[in-house]
Amino acid sequence: MPFPTEDECACGPLIPDLLVAPTVAQLAEFSVRLVDRSVPQSSRYKIADVAMVAQRSMPRYPAGYDGTVTEDDQRLYVLAAEERAIAFVLTAFATRFWRLSWRVDGTIELLQNEALLHRGPKVGRVWVASEKRCRGFSARLIEVAAQHLGVEVPALGWELPFSPAGMALVRHLLPSTFYGCGDCYALRQAINPQAVSQDAI
C-alpha cells in the first residue's frame, strides 16, 4: 500500500473489504470484525493495510500482519465504523510463555527461569487510531478477543518486547503478573533493554 496518510493514522483507513468479515461483537456504535482463515485471502490482504497504518505510529516494530494465516492461527479483531478500521487487536497462538511481573519502578522481572511450554493465545499487536484513543477501546477490544478465544485476559500471552504504549496497556490490565511470549532475545530486550542497546553499539 502507499505510505499511510495523516488522515489514516488519525481516523483509521477506509477498507471496503472489512464488510466481508463477520461481526463478533459491538462496542458502542462500532462493530468488531473478525478477520481469520474464514475470510477470503484476497480480502485479508486488503484488510492487512490497517497493520501498515499502525506500523507508522511504531516504526521500530514490524507490522506483524500481512493477511497470511499459518498454523499459529493469526486473527485480527478490527473495531470498525462501517468501512473504516479504527482499532485492532492481533492474536495468534504461541508455545512459549514466560511468567513475568512488574517491579515497583515499572520494569519487568522474570519470575521463572524456564518458559512454560504449551499452546495458547497471545496478543501480538494492539492499535487505535489517534483520534479514537483514551476511550478504553484497546482494553475492551482485548476483552472481546479473549472471550472469543475462550480464555480470561490474565491467561493471554503478550508478545515481547513492548512499545511504551503497549507496556502501559499491559500494566493497566494486569498490574501484578502476566505472561510474555518470545524467544530469549526478546525476553532480554523486555527485561533489560539498555543492555541490549549497548550490545548493538
Side-chain angles (χ1 to χ4, degrees):
M1 70 171 293
F3 192 73
T5 66
E6 292 291 340
D7 179 70
E8 288 175 323
C9 294
C11 302
L14 284 168
I15 307 175
D17 280 71
L18 269 177
L19 301 181
V20 174
T23 297
V24 293
Q26 291 288 140
L27 293 183
E29 69 270 33
F30 306 115
S31 59
V32 179
R33 300 275 183 168
L34 173 61
V35 185
D36 62 2
R37 65 174 72 252
S38 70
V39 174
Q41 186 179 69
S42 59
S43 292
R44 294 201 309 266
Y45 287 162
K46 293 172 183 175
I47 295 168
D49 284 353
V50 70
M52 300 307 297
V53 173
Q55 202 265 340
R56 180 177 174 181
S57 66
M58 40 186 169
R60 292 179 54 205
Y61 298 83
Y65 182 75
D66 63 3
T68 301
V69 178
T70 69
E71 62 184 14
D72 294 332
D73 194 15
Q74 292 84 353
R75 304 180 188 188
L76 205 63
Y77 293 85
V78 182
L79 190 62
E82 300 296 336
E83 297 179 357
R84 189 177 293 275
I86 62 174
F88 73 79
V89 168
L90 171 64
T91 69
F93 280 83
T95 55
R96 179 183 295 184
F97 293 76
W98 303 98
R99 190 162 179 263
L100 307 170
S101 70
W102 300 105
R103 296 190 181 96
V104 174
D105 65 359
T107 57
I108 295 171
E109 179 180 8
L110 178 64
L111 296 179
Q112 294 176 213
N113 288 331
E114 298 296 325
L116 302 174
L117 302 179
H118 67 93
R119 182 174 167 84
K122 70 171 181 178
V123 174
R125 294 288 182 279
V126 181
W127 174 81
V128 180
S130 60
E131 288 193 359
K132 301 296 183 182
R133 293 175 187 169
C134 302
R135 295 173 59 178
F137 286 137
S138 54
R140 292 165 68 192
L141 198 52
I142 286 164
E143 290 172 358
V144 168
Q147 182 178 25
H148 191 264
L149 290 162
V151 299
E152 300 291 330
V153 171
L156 291 168
W158 302 85
E159 187 167 318
L160 301 173
F162 294 132
S163 67
M167 180 177 286
L169 174 63
V170 176
R171 196 174 184 194
H172 169 73
L173 292 171
L174 301 166
S176 180
T177 62
F178 64 98
Y179 295 105
C181 295
D183 59 20
C184 293
Y185 182 74
L187 176 67
R188 189 178 174 209
Q189 280 184 296
I191 292 174
N192 194 354
Q194 188 174 19
V196 173
S197 298
Q198 290 171 351
D199 287 349
I201 293 175

